[in-house]
Amino acid sequence: MTKTILDRLEAQGLRMTDQRRTIAQVIEQASDHPDVEELHARANALDARISLATVYRTVKLLEEMGILDRLEFGDGRARFEDSQRDHHDHLIDMDTGEVIEFCDPEIEALQEKIARRLGYHLQGHRLELLGRKIKG
Amino acid sequence: MTKTILDRLEAQGLRMTDQRRTIAQVIEQASDHPDVEELHARANALDARISLATVYRTVKLLEEMGILDRLEFGDGRARFEDSQRDHHDHLIDMDTGEVIEFCDPEIEALQEKIARRLGYHLQGHRLELLGRKIKG
DNA sequence: ATAGTTGCAAAGTCTTTGCGGAAAT
DNA sequence: ATTTCCGCAAAGACTTTGCAACTAT
């Protein structure tokens, strides 16, 4: 079992504020890919005292701690997801913008193999497919 | 054999200006992943009358025409490469930031397969690996 | 009491755009 | 002659940051 985000913040000597508690909760409950504005909206629904700047700061902090993954789907803003979720990749529907998650062990293994072939230890990876729905 | 960027611009009824000629030349000669500022610098070395705004406009135009691919390596600015170059993916050296290109037919095929399995026609794809050099 | 956090607003970075002048067709 | 394009500077979108007030320890 993994430690909560809050435990990990405390372990680093960082202070437990209501803002961080709330933002952490929002992130842990999210199963999608919210951007900062969306995180701010969700956090504010729980506690109106949370500023956008604090969300930016917290998200940056969590990313540096490896708790959050930052994603960019090409629309200029960063999106986030809990890095403890099982690894998965994304397929983006070019017509609707919908993001479909998928995971394929074969492709994961292949990525490892390729990195090794190039003389690298794989530390992270991101695969994004762009597609259009097959009709019929 | 593929048409030049200039031919394709003309074919769309767009005007051939010195700026576009120069920017097209810079892009065709690039074998790396320049950002807009870098493209501007290279273009300006050939012709000082090219503004940054024009580079932005041209790059956007070329991207919409499918001539250029826009890449994002997570540092906030867009990078570009000629989309006519053989498809390849990128491995980013986490320590140096160096970008290594590679191509693996197996992984390409697998991507197609996955997209189809999800009910999609694959229109584009991007794979980025992050790694650290294996020592010894 | 002390050092870390926050909110606010200002500033930063990258990109887009309105406009009058310039150039391509 | 028209219509498109360019340079410039202003504006936009997203993100970061300086500072004084606040708060967890």
Side-chain angles (χ1 to χ4, degrees):
Chain A
M1 74 143 291
T2 44
K3 286 183 179 173
T4 69
I5 293 177
L6 297 180
D7 287 340
R8 297 218 257 159
L9 286 171
E10 220 160 14
Q12 296 242 340
L14 298 173
R15 293 187 181 169
M16 293 316 315
T17 62
D18 288 343
Q19 285 87 340
R20 287 180 176 165
R21 262 186 277 271
T22 302
I23 295 169
Q25 176 186 345
V26 164
I27 289 166
E28 276 168 346
Q29 288 177 353
S31 60
D32 51 350
H33 311 93
D35 59 22
V36 170
E37 199 179 312
E38 179 60 26
L39 288 175
H40 183 230
R42 294 182 195 176
N44 257 306
L46 301 174
D47 178 348
R49 299 167 311 160
I50 298 174
S51 72
L52 189 56
T54 294
V55 178
Y56 271 108
R57 283 192 270 240
T58 304
V59 136
K60 188 173 199 176
L61 187 65
L62 295 177
E63 192 198 354
E64 284 163 357
M65 291 176 62
I67 290 173
L68 267 189
D69 283 339
R70 171 186 300 253
L71 306 172
E72 282 166 46
F73 293 149
D75 59 356
R77 54 211 147 143
R79 293 161 178 281
F80 298 89
E81 68 181 15
D82 189 333
S83 63
Q84 299 198 14
R85 282 162 68 194
D86 290 340
H87 182 77
H88 57 262
D89 294 302
H90 299 100
L91 184 148
I92 294 135
D93 186 315
M94 288 179 82
D95 297 315
T96 68
E98 191 191 353
V99 178
I100 294 127
E101 299 189 351
F102 66 90
C103 186
D104 185 285
E106 243 185 298
I107 223 163
E108 302 279 309
L110 210 42
Q111 289 175 20
E112 281 285 358
K113 204 165 95 180
I114 290 167
R116 253 188 319 261
R117 183 196 308 155
L118 295 170
Y120 280 80
H121 287 297
L122 193 58
Q123 302 281 322
H125 45 125
R126 186 168 76 173
L127 171 61
E128 282 169 29
L129 305 181
L130 295 170
R132 293 209 152 88
K133 254 185 189 122
I134 294 173
K135 300 184 181 171
Chain B
M1 75 142 287
T2 44
K3 285 184 181 174
T4 69
I5 293 177
L6 297 179
D7 287 339
R8 297 219 256 160
L9 286 171
E10 220 160 13
Q12 296 244 337
L14 299 173
R15 293 187 179 170
M16 294 315 315
T17 63
D18 289 344
Q19 285 87 339
R20 287 180 177 165
R21 264 185 275 271
T22 302
I23 294 170
Q25 176 186 346
V26 164
I27 288 166
E28 275 168 346
Q29 288 177 354
S31 59
D32 52 349
H33 311 93
D35 58 22
V36 170
E37 200 180 313
E38 179 60 27
L39 288 175
H40 183 230
R42 293 182 195 176
N44 258 304
L46 301 174
D47 179 347
R49 298 169 311 160
I50 298 173
S51 73
L52 189 56
T54 294
V55 178
Y56 271 109
R57 282 193 270 240
T58 303
V59 136
K60 188 173 200 175
L61 186 66
L62 296 177
E63 192 197 353
E64 284 163 356
M65 291 175 61
I67 290 173
L68 267 189
D69 283 339
R70 172 187 298 256
L71 307 172
E72 283 167 45
F73 292 149
D75 59 357
R77 56 211 144 141
R79 294 161 176 283
F80 298 89
E81 67 181 17
D82 189 332
S83 63
Q84 298 198 16
R85 282 162 67 194
D86 290 339
H87 182 76
H88 58 263
D89 294 302
H90 299 99
L91 184 147
I92 294 134
D93 186 316
M94 287 181 82
D95 296 316
T96 69
E98 190 192 354
V99 177
I100 294 127
E101 298 189 352
F102 66 89
C103 185
D104 185 284
E106 243 184 298
I107 222 163
E108 302 280 311
L110 211 41
Q111 288 175 19
E112 281 285 358
K113 205 165 93 180
I114 290 167
R116 253 189 318 261
R117 184 195 306 154
L118 294 169
Y120 280 80
H121 287 296
L122 193 60
Q123 303 279 322
H125 46 125
R126 189 169 74 172
L127 172 61
E128 283 168 27
L129 305 181
L130 296 169
R132 294 208 154 89
K133 250 179 193 129
I134 294 173
K135 299 183 182 168

